[in-house]
Amino acid sequence: MNLQRLKYKLHSGKNPKFLYYICAYARLLVPRFMLRPRVARLDDIVEKRPDLDYIARRVHYYAKASIYPSVTHEEWMQGSCEVRHTPMPRQKVYWLDSMPFARYFPKTSRWHLEWGDVDYVPGVPSITKSRPISADNHNAVIMKLDRVRHFTFVTDRMPWRDKIDRVIFRGKVAGKGPRPCFKPRSYGHERVDAGAIDNIRPEWTRPKMSLYAHLRYRYIMCIEGNDVASNLKWVMSSNCIAVMPRPTCETWFMEGQLVPDYHYIEVKPDFSDLIERLDYYSAHPTEAESIVRHAHEWVNQFRDRRREKLISLLVMRRYFRGVEKIGEEA
């Protein structure tokens, strides 16, 4: 490992995985008998909260359906398993992030954990990290999965006006999504500091940059890859502005509810108007700073750990209650 790569690993700004794994496995040590009473008191807990309407909206956003009439009992039995028999997938974070909440419910409860980058609607009701933004995505029930990678927030003390008046991008440019359209169009422009980290072409390749190095720029590209743009959360928590096409997938961050040119700067899917959009907001700094403020307001709703846990339990309960009804009318 060369010095530059070592420096990046030690100062990347990302959540430390060793701490995540320690905490994740520690949560699994809590005996089940201590968890079940909290489920029985969920409704009483929510009723006493001043933000109960907000909580209800979040729960129904993640778990849209209370019943799943389009799924037969046979399909459900073939596509699901009992919580106690759920194998840990190769990407352990999906199991480790969902199992602590599933353990509040009976071990014989049936579910389906669809792990990985989900840009499709599963055939049976499934717990997922992500789903396509559409009206017919009820089978994808979102939980806060792979949080160690996706839910990173930063402290940024540099005002937007003091930052470099350019847009920065470091990431992979191969594969599906809009990323392959971005690199050829943007490479070499004076307003764009773009670099590929997957060595597609030598002239595009740049070394990885820490989150803190990104914060020197006014604008940061947040481009979907296999599903969502994983850097969007920390960018919106900073004093930089996220620049991206309108999202097509969503996670616990509710990307489908973000408002273009209010929470982020929207550009066309082929990025043909990128420079024009940057020039506009650089010439209108007050409007740019309002986007930063609105982005912070959006991020702040995810900072209340106790409420986030409560919403997660309510989503899991709504999911289990819904799948229990599959086949009842047969």
Side-chain angles (χ1 to χ4, degrees):
M1 183 182 295
N2 60 37
L3 182 61
Q4 191 171 33
R5 290 180 63 188
L6 178 62
K7 182 179 179 181
Y8 172 80
K9 282 187 172 292
L10 295 176
H11 195 64
S12 68
K14 297 180 180 180
N15 292 324
K17 286 194 174 182
F18 75 95
L19 287 179
Y20 163 79
Y21 282 112
I22 291 173
C23 294
Y25 281 107
R27 288 201 301 267
L28 298 176
L29 298 177
V30 180
R32 285 178 178 270
F33 74 85
M34 297 178 61
L35 304 177
R36 297 300 301 281
R38 183 171 176 82
V39 174
R41 296 186 294 108
L42 274 179
D43 290 328
D44 291 338
I45 294 172
V46 173
E47 285 296 325
K48 295 176 182 178
R49 292 189 61 101
D51 54 354
L52 62 93
D53 290 336
Y54 167 85
I55 290 174
R57 288 195 300 271
R58 289 269 304 271
V59 171
H60 284 76
Y61 187 85
Y62 299 132
K64 290 185 176 181
S66 58
I67 57 174
Y68 300 93
S70 61
V71 181
T72 67
H73 184 259
E74 290 74 19
E75 290 171 334
W76 174 239
M77 294 303 290
Q78 291 178 3
S80 64
C81 68
E82 292 182 352
V83 168
R84 61 182 172 180
H85 294 148
T86 306
M88 182 180 287
R90 178 175 55 83
Q91 293 175 279
K92 297 180 179 65
V93 291
Y94 295 92
W95 193 94
L96 291 171
D97 285 341
S98 57
M99 190 57 71
F101 297 105
R103 292 178 73 247
Y104 279 81
F105 302 88
K107 292 186 288 186
T108 55
S109 299
R110 298 191 72 87
W111 69 339
H112 182 253
L113 175 60
E114 190 84 350
W115 56 276
D117 299 329
V118 178
D119 61 351
Y120 53 88
V121 179
V124 297
S126 306
I127 299 297
T128 69
K129 176 200 73 179
S130 55
R131 68 187 178 194
I133 298 172
S134 68
D136 189 24
N137 58 8
H138 300 75
N139 274 359
V141 177
I142 292 178
M143 287 288 287
K144 193 175 183 180
L145 308 183
D146 197 7
R147 64 182 68 196
V148 67
R149 177 169 180 253
H150 283 267
F151 274 83
T152 300
F153 297 137
V154 297
T155 299
D156 183 5
R157 295 184 174 85
M158 182 183 294
W160 178 85
R161 296 194 190 211
D162 294 346
K163 297 178 182 289
I164 301 170
D165 190 21
R166 302 175 74 191
V167 65
I168 180 73
F169 172 81
R170 289 293 185 275
K172 296 180 179 179
V173 298
K176 55 186 178 181
R179 291 194 183 193
C181 298
F182 173 70
K183 188 61 185 180
R185 182 178 294 278
S186 63
Y187 180 76
H189 196 283
E190 61 181 9
R191 295 293 305 279
V192 181
D193 184 346
I197 62 172
D198 45 358
N199 298 317
I200 296 300
R201 289 175 56 176
E203 66 269 28
W204 294 354
T205 303
R206 298 290 186 276
K208 291 182 178 181
M209 290 174 58
S210 70
L211 272 58
Y212 309 111
H214 282 74
L215 300 183
R216 296 177 300 176
Y217 294 77
R218 286 184 174 181
Y219 309 100
I220 301 177
M221 297 301 306
C222 299
I223 310 175
E224 290 184 332
N226 293 329
D227 51 19
V228 297
S230 59
N231 66 338
L232 180 61
K233 287 88 165 173
W234 65 260
V235 172
M236 288 182 59
S237 72
S238 73
N239 292 330
C240 311
I241 301 179
V243 181
M244 62 184 187
R246 190 167 302 200
T248 63
C249 291
E250 61 184 355
T251 64
W252 189 263
F253 199 59
M254 300 190 294
E255 287 88 345
Q257 294 292 298
L258 296 176
V259 180
D261 302 326
Y262 184 87
H263 294 116
Y264 67 94
I265 296 174
E266 182 182 17
V267 294
K268 295 178 180 179
D270 65 355
F271 305 98
S272 58
D273 61 342
L274 173 61
I275 303 305
E276 174 188 339
R277 302 296 286 151
L278 298 181
D279 288 344
Y280 175 84
Y281 282 100
S282 293
H284 298 82
T286 302
E287 292 184 38
E289 289 170 331
S290 70
I291 293 178
V292 173
R293 185 173 65 254
H294 298 149
H296 288 180
E297 292 169 355
W298 186 264
V299 168
N300 287 340
Q301 66 184 313
F302 302 98
R303 293 184 183 272
D304 187 330
R305 293 185 177 183
R306 181 171 296 181
R307 185 172 66 186
E308 292 292 282
K309 181 178 179 180
L310 180 58
I311 293 172
S312 295
L313 284 172
L314 289 167
V315 170
M316 192 67 82
R317 186 182 71 172
R318 181 172 169 85
Y319 171 78
F320 281 132
R321 285 180 173 180
V323 297
E324 284 176 358
K325 300 175 184 177
I326 293 176
E328 284 188 354
E329 298 180 359

